[in-house]
């Protein structure tokens, strides 16, 4: 028997044997690769078979347009204005205003012929499809039978509609109040017992069903259990939303959102209107928002009294928590008008979800402005003169576009002054008790 050291592989395996083995291995690899490719191809074929091959569907969009006009937009429509208001969430003149504005904004919202010379979808069909998806939260495919618009086209229309609404109306309906509007807000809130109040602030979560798996941890908070995005809003009694900041990951709280929010940018720059008012004999030079307990003790926030004991504190807590519900009511009306905001968002891209929310807020504000009644003054200003004054901004943008850093720091420290917060809260408690304490409230 030969030793292992004397073993020569060439005596057992010839060159021909080694080449034959290489050929066998190569054939095996080719067979495995072919089987893998065939399996993928069969899977793709099965998927195509399940969804159906791409084919032409003869949709009679001209008849759908005629039916839409006959139902709502003719001289003698089939359905009444009340039914239009319920189904479109707005009055007909406002809807037509949006249609005309979008037609001027982009050729996409005009009726154009296709490659065969056949007229495409009308602006009424496109805007109706977008409003129905926002109002009812329906799937894109559900509108095909009525409006004769394919699901993919409906989703494209929805995205374009949101972009157009933001572009055409965002500057007007996503802005802080002007001086004349601010005077009305302050006058109404003073009649409610809160002089200097600019509105109420809070946050709302919108569930994001199709959040990417890699982002789920960043957008999920323990009490929600699902990925969400946060809307920070400031609203007034008429349910107008004057500030909307949306898109922050849902794992964060209201303070994190506030630190990212542009709410006080104008005030820090000195470009916001100055508010002067008197509470319990003390003069204040900055308006405030009613907030819940999580917000910091800044001069611009007034919070309720936790576990009130005295009669004065109980009355203030009752009044503050009642007035602070303005923003909660605005959230509720926003979700009732646009069911897409109440349901989990089914869009894939974060930017598309943000556009939908901003478009819904803009449309909500347009509806509020279109349907609002004249403000009923509860306070008789002849008997009780107003102590609130609105002055022009401290800094004019054209005269001083770059404020010094020292001024910015001073205004920022004024906004976050804790002693002012405590003093203002104490004065408001006394003010409300003097005004309502003797009425049995």
């Amino acid at each position: 028997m030969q030793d292992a050291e004397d073993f020569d592989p060439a005596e057992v395996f010839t060159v021909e044997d080694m080449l034959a083995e290489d050929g066998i291995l190569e054939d095996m690899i080719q067979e495995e690769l072919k089987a893998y490719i065939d399996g993928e191809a069969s899977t793709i074929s099965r998927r195509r078979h399940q969804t159906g091959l791409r084919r032409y569907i003869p949709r009679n969009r001209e008849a759908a347009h005629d039916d839409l006009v006959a139902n709502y937009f003719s001289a003698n429509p089939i359905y009444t204005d009340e039914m239009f208001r319920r189904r479109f969430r707005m009055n007909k003149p406002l809807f037509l205003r949006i249609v005309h504005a979008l037609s001027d904004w982009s050729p996409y919202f005009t009726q154009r012929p296709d490659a065969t010379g056949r007229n495409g979808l009308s602006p009424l069909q496109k805007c109706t499809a977008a409003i129905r998806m926002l109002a009812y939260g329906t799937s894109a495919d559900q509108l095909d039978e009525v409006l004769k618009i394919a699901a993919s086209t409906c989703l494209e229309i929805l995205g374009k509609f949101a972009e157009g609404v933001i572009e055409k109306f965002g500057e007007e309906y996503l802005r802080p109040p002007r001086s004349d509007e601010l005077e009305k807000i302050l006058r109404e809130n003073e009649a409610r017992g809160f002089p200097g109040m600019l509105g109420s602030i809070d946050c709302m979560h919108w569930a994001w069903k199709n959040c990417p798996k890699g982002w789920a941890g960043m957008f999920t908070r323990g009490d929600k259990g699902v990925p969400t995005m946060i809307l920070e809003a400031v609203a007034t009694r008429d349910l107008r939303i004057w500030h909307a900041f949306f898109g922050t990951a849902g794992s964060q709280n209201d303070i994190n959102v506030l630190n990212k929010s542009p709410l006080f940018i104008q005030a820090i720059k000195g470009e916001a209107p100055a508010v002067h008012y008197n509470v319990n004999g003390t003069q204040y030079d900055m308006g405030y928002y009613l907030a819940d307990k999580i917000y910091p003790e800044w001069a611009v926030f007034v919070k309720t009294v936790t576990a009130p004991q005295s009669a004065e504190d109980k009355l203030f807590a009752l009044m503050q928590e009642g007035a602070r519900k303005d923003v909660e009511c605005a959230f509720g009306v926003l979700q009732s008008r646009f069911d897409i905001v109440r349901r989990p968002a089914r869009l894939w891209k974060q930017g598309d979800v943000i556009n939908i929310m901003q478009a819904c807020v803009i449309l909500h504000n347009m509806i509020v402005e279109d349907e609002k009644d004249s403000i009923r003054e509860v306070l008789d200003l002849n008997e009780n003169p107003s102590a609130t004054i609105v002055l022009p901004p401290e800094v004019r943008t054209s005269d001083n576009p770059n404020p010094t850093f020292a001024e910015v720091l001073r205004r920022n420290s004024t906004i976050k002054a804790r002693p002012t917060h405590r003093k203002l809260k104490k004065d408001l408690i006394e003010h409300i008790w003097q005004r309502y304490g003797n009425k049995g409230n």
Side-chain angles (χ1 to χ4, degrees):
M1 186 175 180
Q2 289 182 326
D3 296 335
E5 297 179 357
D6 299 334
F7 176 74
D8 186 4
E11 296 180 0
V12 180
F13 297 98
T14 62
V15 175
E16 291 77 7
D17 293 334
M18 292 182 180
L19 293 176
E21 284 191 4
D22 290 340
I24 293 173
L25 290 174
E26 186 175 353
D27 292 340
M28 292 176 62
I29 294 173
Q30 292 294 335
E31 290 177 1
E32 292 289 338
L33 183 60
K34 183 176 183 301
Y36 176 77
I37 295 175
D38 291 342
E40 287 292 316
S42 63
T43 302
I44 296 174
S45 177
R46 286 196 298 271
R47 290 175 182 171
R48 288 179 178 173
H49 180 71
Q50 290 174 359
T51 58
L53 298 175
R54 183 179 178 87
R55 63 188 180 90
Y56 173 73
I57 299 177
R59 295 181 175 87
N60 193 350
R61 53 178 176 261
E62 294 86 357
H65 169 75
D66 295 339
D67 290 341
L68 182 63
V69 172
N71 290 337
Y72 298 107
F73 302 103
S74 62
N76 296 307
I78 297 175
Y79 300 107
T80 63
D81 291 341
E82 291 76 12
M83 300 175 74
F84 182 95
R85 167 66 179 80
R86 183 172 67 249
R87 295 171 181 175
F88 285 76
R89 302 296 195 261
M90 63 186 72
N91 294 321
K92 191 183 300 182
L94 178 58
F95 177 78
L96 294 176
R97 173 191 169 193
I98 295 173
V99 173
H100 295 324
L102 294 182
S103 299
D104 296 337
W105 171 69
S106 173
Y108 184 84
F109 287 96
T110 58
Q111 191 171 33
R112 298 166 295 167
D114 58 15
T116 64
R118 181 185 175 190
N119 282 333
L121 297 167
S122 67
L124 288 177
Q125 286 174 285
K126 292 182 178 180
C127 292
T128 300
I131 288 293
R132 289 297 177 89
M133 293 179 69
L134 294 176
Y136 292 98
T138 57
S139 61
D141 186 63
Q142 191 171 351
L143 302 173
D144 194 357
E145 296 175 342
V146 179
L147 296 176
K148 306 302 179 184
I149 305 177
S152 59
T153 306
C154 276
L155 292 176
E156 182 184 10
I157 290 171
L158 181 62
K160 293 286 187 181
F161 181 85
E163 292 178 7
V165 168
I166 295 171
E167 184 71 23
K168 290 294 293 184
F169 303 105
E171 184 177 356
E172 173 63 22
Y173 293 97
L174 281 181
R175 58 167 178 80
R178 295 187 291 263
S179 296
D180 57 333
E181 297 166 334
L182 191 58
E183 288 180 356
K184 293 180 180 179
I185 293 172
L186 292 169
R187 194 160 56 242
E188 180 180 4
N189 290 329
E190 184 175 358
R192 302 166 70 186
F194 291 93
M197 172 185 163
L198 304 175
S200 53
I201 183 173
D202 204 356
C203 290
M204 181 190 81
H205 288 253
W206 186 16
W208 188 10
K209 180 181 179 181
N210 289 333
C211 174
K213 295 297 182 182
W215 294 3
M218 181 174 60
F219 282 80
T220 304
R221 204 169 72 184
D223 58 334
K224 302 299 178 181
V226 295
T228 62
M229 280 191 275
I230 303 175
L231 169 67
E232 179 192 71
V234 170
T236 48
R237 191 178 188 180
D238 61 356
L239 305 183
R240 170 73 183 259
I241 298 176
W242 296 100
H243 163 77
F245 175 64
F246 179 73
T248 306
S251 62
Q252 303 182 53
N253 59 27
D254 295 5
I255 299 178
N256 303 134
V257 179
L258 177 65
N259 291 331
K260 299 179 180 180
S261 172
L263 176 60
F264 300 112
I265 293 298
Q266 283 191 336
I268 292 176
K269 290 182 177 180
E271 299 172 1
V275 178
H276 299 277
Y277 58 97
N278 188 285
V279 181
N280 196 32
T282 304
Q283 183 72 26
Y284 293 93
D285 300 327
M286 183 175 295
Y288 59 88
Y289 303 97
L290 298 187
D292 56 16
K293 294 182 291 185
I294 192 175
Y295 281 86
E297 293 185 346
W298 291 359
V300 291
F301 296 131
V302 170
K303 304 191 293 182
T304 187
V305 177
T306 305
Q309 301 298 322
S310 64
E312 293 86 348
D313 291 346
K314 290 180 180 179
L315 177 60
F316 174 78
L318 180 66
M319 299 287 291
Q320 194 272 354
E321 292 169 8
R324 193 187 64 81
K325 292 298 187 291
D326 292 346
V327 67
E328 302 287 354
C329 292
F331 288 153
V333 172
L334 179 67
Q335 291 178 326
S336 298
R337 279 193 175 129
F338 304 106
D339 200 61
I340 192 173
V341 178
R342 185 177 62 84
R343 301 184 181 190
R346 298 191 296 268
L347 298 172
W348 294 95
K349 296 182 180 180
Q350 183 182 10
D352 294 339
V353 181
I354 293 175
N355 286 344
I356 293 298
M357 176 59 80
Q358 290 182 346
C360 288
V361 172
I362 292 171
L363 293 174
H364 167 83
N365 287 337
M366 295 177 71
I367 296 170
V368 169
E369 182 184 72
D370 182 62
E371 299 179 355
K372 69 180 180 180
D373 298 326
S374 59
I375 298 177
R376 182 173 62 91
E377 297 290 348
V378 181
L379 178 64
D380 186 359
L381 297 180
N382 293 323
E383 181 179 354
N384 301 295
S386 175
T388 305
I389 302 174
V390 179
L391 298 178
E394 179 181 353
V395 175
R396 296 289 185 178
T397 306
S398 58
D399 298 336
N400 186 11
N402 297 314
T404 63
F405 189 62
E407 294 174 347
V408 171
L409 290 178
R410 177 183 59 80
R411 298 189 190 103
N412 185 61
S413 62
T414 303
I415 290 174
K416 299 181 179 181
R418 179 174 293 183
T420 306
H421 165 85
R422 294 176 176 174
K423 175 64 175 173
L424 174 60
K425 184 175 180 179
K426 182 178 178 181
D427 288 337
L428 283 173
I429 293 174
E430 183 65 26
H431 169 77
I432 290 177
W433 177 255
Q434 291 177 0
R435 183 169 178 182
Y436 300 101
N438 297 327
K439 297 181 181 181
N441 293 336

